[in-house]
Amino acid sequence: MAIYHFSGQIMSRISKHTGDPKSPLAAAAYRSGEKLVDEVDNQAFFYKRDIVPVTHILIPPHAPDWATNREKLWNEVNRIEKNYNAQFAREFNVALPVELTNEQQKKLTLDFCQEAFVERGMVADIAIHRDDKNNPHFHVMLTIRPFNEDGSWGVKAKREYKFDKNGENILDKNGKKAFNKVDTTDWNSKEVFNSWRKLWADKANHYLEKYDIKQSISHLSNENRGLEEMPTIHEGYVARQMEKNGQKSERISFNKEVKKYNKTISDLQKYKAKKDQQIYQNKFVRKFSPLEKKHLSDIAKELKMFINMKTINERRVQLEGWKKSIQFTKDNESKLNQLSRIEKEETLINNAEEIFDSESTRFIKEYYPTWDVDSFSLDEKIALVEKTITNKVLLSDDEIDEIEYEVSSENLIKEINELLHNRYAFVLTINQMLKGLFSSRIQLEKQLNIRPNKLEVTLREATEKSPREFQKWKINMKDTKALLEARDLINDFYNLEINKWYPSIDVKKLSLEEKEILVVGTEYYEKPITLECIQSLQRYTVEDQIKLIRLLASNDLKKNENVTKKFPNFQVNNPRYILLFKEECLRNISELPKYESTKLKEIDPVEFALSEIDSSPLMKDFNAKINEEINQYKSSNSLSFLSSGVTSGLFKGILEKRNFTSKKQFEDDLKSKKGKRKNIHQGPSL
């Protein structure tokens, strides 16, 4: 019978797995079944379907002709929606009445999309899917940005600035002009969404009636469509008095029958609800096979713990910590035994994960057949199954999308949290750490006679002849892989941040250290850094600078805690923050009282570092240069003193050289600037 299903989502360009930009061409290719090429990186997307979708593109009158070309349309969307977190499409998934023929379903789909979306100014990219004959449905991807009358892209929202009673701009907490975001269309409003839901029910019912099909659907919830009770009639004083005096009243007798009927209906509804609940409780349960249950039981006994995904993840983290704690200890029998135990437990955990993966995959295929189970990560599968079992009801598409977002965000935060906590130290030492691992690996491969052209044979020989050294080689390979993955992860994070704040910069041309410098500087000043503003960069007022100097230069054992209390956004354990703060104070040192300008020199970034790798010679060198300039000012006592820019020169070097198309042009322009060249530091990174 005809069912009502109408769900929607906003499609964003941020990937739920890696945080990298996601292509709208991939989304359109998946729904249309066509091969589409993303012009950004020339990547082709094609998802083969056994039953080819029926596709159409509908456009409003003022849209350009190229909007009817699917590949051109979404490439243009990809080009205009360039922000790192941009939304590139709105999508709806709608169930079609199975009672209608294929042609009738197509007419209904086009009729609805034309009236609901195209007449409001959207381009509608439609794909009807009939992979499951019992579940015909269509997807429609819609442009979010409107078109102007001349066919060019319009704006999605405008700023409406706030003013006080005197007509002056109201400022926000950052000192910027406060404003309200005003959408240029009503496409995001709840009222419009509800009108689309109702319109779909009306259109579908019109077509069912038109083709003499005795079925109908409703956009209203089951609660709003529940059985109606029969109304009672007004009894009146006379009727009640008759009943009181032992006489029979037809009105009161009628009402008694109505109430009895209504109670029966109520009892039936309660019974049905209870029965439905029992059905769901029996239906949505985990379905491990007997063999899977036995394997999980064996793994639980071996690991001496209860097995579920939470305990598995916790144990994996514990093993990682255990491995790190002995990684750089001296090689001996005890270390090899511990590493062997870690490897055994990791194998057991992997086996348990495979069982949960298989079971979750079966569950999703059974209860969510329209979803591509391979597109989910294991964590997403587990979360989807557990939430379904907990709620005892199938989840909507929006709820599933929310699960995907929550899981991917949680995993990404978990992965980068440790790196972000001390990422400047990580970037500072990554090459040195990799160099050490590569050197050690080369020595081990020579010792074990491991040859790339006969890798399988030489590895087998090495295992038999020198098991201890071979174990060291395996550890080295794992550590190298983990370090490279961490470097890629932090690099992806920097790319996202720089694309957000500096969309004109080509991140591919920046080294990891340059990215780190630019990101930490942007975080410190809480705004993008431009060539024009470098010499006037300032985050704190003179009063706040004085307070921070006193806190940072004090001998109080709780000074870090005191800084955090009064300046919660100041990363007190980040040596680069301390350097940037000292140079900020140095630029306006003439405004600082004598005592504070003297104390400024006593603030040592290394003192606040969390680990030894933060206490590098580079940190000490930059701090010494800043202190030297403080001494220079104090000796000259000149009000015209201007810092040459120990750290700001790095920002200038990164930003300025990216604005030139060739090295020669860059050098020629530098010569024409005469006195400005000294501010460009080509030395080591901050």
Side-chain angles (χ1 to χ4, degrees):
M1 60 178 293
I3 62 170
Y4 184 92
H5 175 79
F6 187 101
S7 64
Q9 65 169 327
I10 296 293
M11 307 179 81
S12 171
R13 69 184 306 114
I14 296 300
S15 168
K16 64 180 184 297
H17 298 297
T18 64
D20 291 335
K22 183 170 61 178
S23 173
L25 277 297
Y30 179 79
R31 286 153 182 80
S32 67
E34 293 182 7
K35 180 179 179 181
L36 302 177
V37 179
D38 190 328
E39 294 174 357
V40 172
D41 54 7
N42 206 34
Q43 185 177 358
F45 299 98
F46 176 66
Y47 304 90
K48 185 179 179 181
R49 290 183 174 274
D50 293 334
I51 298 178
V52 179
V54 177
T55 61
H56 292 273
I57 294 181
L58 305 178
I59 65 173
H62 55 285
D65 292 338
W66 51 255
T68 58
N69 182 311
R70 182 168 288 107
E71 189 173 83
K72 177 68 174 175
L73 170 65
W74 296 113
N75 268 305
E76 285 297 314
V77 168
N78 205 19
R79 180 185 61 80
I80 193 68
E81 307 296 355
K82 57 188 176 184
N83 287 345
Y84 88 105
N85 60 347
Q87 298 171 342
F88 60 75
R90 177 181 284 102
E91 188 218 25
F92 289 101
N93 181 333
V94 186
L96 288 162
V98 293
E99 293 80 3
L100 297 177
T101 66
N102 289 359
E103 186 61 24
Q104 291 165 354
Q105 289 174 354
K106 185 179 79 170
K107 289 180 179 178
L108 167 60
T109 299
L110 298 181
D111 186 5
F112 168 75
C113 290
Q114 178 69 32
E115 182 173 340
F117 309 125
V118 180
E119 290 180 9
R120 285 182 177 270
M122 292 175 253
V123 174
D125 184 358
I126 304 163
I128 300 175
H129 290 182
R130 296 195 176 94
D131 307 82
D132 181 352
K133 64 179 182 180
N134 296 318
N135 181 31
H137 60 278
F138 72 86
H139 297 264
V140 55
M141 286 176 62
L142 305 160
T143 50
I144 286 183
R145 185 181 295 268
F147 284 104
N148 296 320
E149 289 299 322
D150 62 357
S152 62
W153 287 113
V155 295
K156 293 185 283 188
K158 296 180 180 179
R159 293 183 176 184
E160 187 175 272
Y161 287 94
K162 300 179 181 179
F163 299 92
D164 59 21
K165 60 183 179 180
N166 298 321
E168 298 292 332
N169 283 99
I170 297 175
L171 303 181
D172 60 21
K173 62 180 181 180
N174 296 319
K176 297 180 179 179
K177 295 179 181 179
F179 63 92
N180 292 319
K181 179 184 174 183
V182 180
D183 292 334
T184 57
T185 68
D186 60 358
W187 304 342
N188 289 328
S189 72
K190 185 177 180 180
E191 293 75 18
V192 170
F193 175 76
N194 288 334
S195 72
W196 286 334
R197 287 177 54 82
K198 183 178 184 302
L199 178 63
W200 171 247
D202 293 343
K203 284 282 183 186
N205 288 334
H206 171 73
Y207 274 73
L208 289 168
E209 183 179 358
K210 178 180 178 180
Y211 295 107
D212 296 321
I213 297 170
K214 307 302 182 184
Q215 293 282 347
S216 66
I217 61 175
S218 173
H219 65 290
L220 299 175
S221 66
N222 289 338
E223 180 180 352
N224 291 332
R225 298 174 61 212
L227 292 172
E228 295 183 1
E229 295 181 343
M230 290 180 62
T232 56
I233 61 175
H234 178 66
E235 295 174 347
Y237 173 79
V238 174
R240 286 194 293 272
Q241 281 297 113
M242 289 174 63
E243 197 74 15
K244 188 175 181 181
N245 296 330
Q247 296 175 293
K248 188 174 181 180
S249 166
E250 290 185 4
R251 285 179 172 269
I252 291 179
S253 298
F254 175 80
N255 279 350
K256 285 181 180 179
E257 291 299 318
V258 169
K259 290 174 183 177
K260 184 179 178 181
Y261 171 81
N262 286 343
K263 185 178 185 303
T264 302
I265 294 299
S266 177
D267 290 343
L268 284 172
Q269 288 176 326
K270 290 177 182 178
Y271 171 78
K272 184 177 181 299
K274 186 175 181 179
K275 183 179 178 181
D276 289 344
Q277 186 180 25
Q278 290 174 342
I279 290 173
Y280 274 114
Q281 287 175 341
N282 294 330
K283 181 178 181 181
F284 297 120
V285 294
R286 289 200 171 279
K287 298 183 179 180
F288 293 106
S289 68
L291 186 59
E292 287 173 335
K293 289 180 181 178
K294 183 180 183 306
H295 287 330
L296 288 176
S297 177
D298 293 341
I299 293 170
K301 290 177 183 177
E302 186 70 30
L303 295 176
K304 296 181 175 61
M305 68 181 197
F306 177 74
I307 294 292
N308 59 26
M309 284 307 299
K310 181 181 179 182
T311 57
I312 286 174
N313 290 330
E314 289 174 351
R315 187 56 177 161
R316 190 182 292 281
V317 172
Q318 291 171 358
L319 291 175
E320 286 295 325
W322 186 9
K323 188 189 297 183
K324 287 180 181 177
S325 68
I326 63 174
Q327 186 174 11
F328 298 107
T329 59
K330 187 177 180 180
D331 290 340
N332 53 40
E333 195 69 31
S334 174
K335 178 179 179 179
L336 291 176
N337 289 337
Q338 290 181 71
L339 290 172
S340 177
R341 176 62 189 177
I342 291 170
E343 186 173 356
K344 181 179 179 181
E345 290 203 14
E346 286 178 336
T347 301
L348 290 171
I349 286 174
N350 290 337
N351 291 340
E353 282 189 342
E354 288 177 4
I355 294 173
F356 276 97
D357 191 13
S358 298
E359 184 270 339
S360 300
T361 298
R362 291 196 301 270
F363 186 100
I364 294 170
K365 284 183 176 180
E366 180 176 353
Y367 297 117
Y368 298 94
T370 61
W371 282 82
D372 179 13
V373 69
D374 295 329
S375 68
F376 294 101
S377 67
L378 175 58
D379 289 334
E380 289 167 346
K381 292 177 186 177
I382 296 297
L384 174 55
V385 173
E386 289 182 347
K387 193 166 184 179
T388 302
I389 293 172
T390 301
N391 292 357
K392 300 179 179 62
V393 65
L394 290 176
L395 307 182
S396 68
D397 289 356
D398 290 341
E399 289 173 319
I400 295 175
D401 287 332
E402 187 177 344
I403 285 177
E404 291 184 90
Y405 176 77
E406 289 173 355
V407 170
S408 60
S409 297
E410 183 180 338
N411 288 342
L412 183 60
I413 291 170
K414 195 183 299 179
E415 288 175 349
I416 69 175
N417 186 53
E418 185 175 348
L419 294 179
L420 294 185
H421 186 61
N422 199 19
R423 63 173 189 259
Y424 46 89
F426 174 84
V427 172
L428 197 66
T429 58
I430 176 66
N431 291 331
Q432 182 181 350
M433 294 165 69
L434 283 172
K435 185 177 179 181
L437 286 169
F438 287 148
S439 176
S440 175
R441 192 187 78 190
I442 290 171
Q443 289 180 349
L444 284 168
E445 289 179 349
K446 285 182 179 179
Q447 187 177 350
L448 295 168
N449 196 29
I450 295 175
R451 300 190 300 276
N453 59 337
K454 294 184 178 181
L455 187 61
E456 187 174 345
V457 175
T458 54
L459 284 178
R460 186 165 56 249
E461 292 175 351
T463 308
E464 297 171 355
K465 294 180 180 179
S466 306
R468 185 176 299 229
E469 283 70 22
F470 180 73
Q471 184 70 15
K472 292 179 184 178
W473 180 83
K474 283 179 65 179
I475 294 169
N476 180 290
M477 294 294 287
K478 284 186 177 180
D479 291 344
T480 302
K481 180 182 177 184
L483 197 57
L484 290 171
E485 288 175 349
R487 185 185 65 180
D488 292 341
L489 189 64
I490 203 74
N491 194 56
D492 289 342
F493 170 76
Y494 286 149
N495 289 347
L496 284 173
E497 290 297 293
I498 292 171
N499 284 332
K500 175 175 68 174
W501 294 108
Y502 305 92
S504 63
I505 287 183
D506 184 0
V507 292
K508 295 178 182 177
K509 295 182 180 179
L510 296 178
S511 68
L512 186 60
E513 284 194 1
E514 287 176 320
K515 294 175 184 177
E516 201 275 332
I517 292 166
L518 200 53
V519 169
V520 79
T522 307
E523 286 180 352
Y524 176 83
Y525 291 110
E526 296 183 324
K527 67 177 182 180
I529 299 169
T530 64
L531 288 171
E532 294 75 21
C533 76
I534 284 178
Q535 290 301 327
S536 60
L537 283 171
Q538 184 167 329
R539 176 176 178 179
Y540 298 102
T541 63
V542 174
E543 291 76 13
D544 284 340
Q545 287 176 357
I546 293 171
K547 292 177 185 177
L548 266 169
I549 290 172
R550 290 176 180 174
L551 289 170
L552 294 170
S554 73
N555 294 320
D556 191 336
L557 294 177
K558 293 186 176 181
K559 63 181 177 182
N560 289 29
E561 184 180 330
N562 295 335
V563 171
T564 303
K565 281 182 180 179
K566 295 188 178 181
F567 298 92
N569 293 329
F570 191 92
Q571 297 179 22
V572 69
N573 293 123
N574 186 333
R576 301 197 183 196
Y577 257 56
I578 308 294
L579 286 174
L580 290 168
F581 173 71
K582 287 186 70 172
E583 184 173 81
E584 177 184 323
C585 295
L586 183 60
R587 278 197 294 272
N588 66 334
I589 193 170
S590 61
E591 298 181 39
L592 296 174
K594 184 176 181 181
Y595 176 81
E596 277 68 27
S597 63
T598 301
K599 283 292 181 182
L600 180 62
K601 183 181 171 184
E602 297 177 11
I603 300 172
D604 184 2
V606 173
E607 178 189 348
F608 297 88
L610 290 173
S611 63
E612 290 184 8
I613 55 177
D614 303 334
S615 310
S616 67
L618 291 176
M619 289 292 161
K620 297 174 183 177
D621 181 50
F622 275 109
N623 189 52
K625 288 179 180 178
I626 291 178
N627 287 344
E628 184 182 332
E629 294 203 0
I630 294 174
N631 287 335
Q632 180 185 340
Y633 167 75
K634 291 176 69 177
S635 62
S636 64
N637 199 24
S638 170
L639 293 177
S640 61
F641 172 80
L642 179 65
S643 166
S644 62
V646 176
T647 59
S648 60
L650 291 168
F651 300 132
K652 189 168 186 179
I654 293 170
L655 294 172
E656 194 162 36
K657 69 182 179 182
R658 302 303 155 189
N659 288 337
F660 293 85
T661 56
S662 70
K663 183 178 179 182
K664 183 177 183 304
Q665 184 181 355
F666 171 58
E667 292 174 346
D668 291 343
D669 192 79
L670 281 182
K671 291 176 184 178
S672 68
K673 292 185 178 180
K674 297 181 180 179
K676 292 187 178 180
R677 186 167 185 170
K678 65 179 181 181
N679 288 330
I680 300 178
H681 292 251
Q682 302 296 338
S685 77
L686 197 158

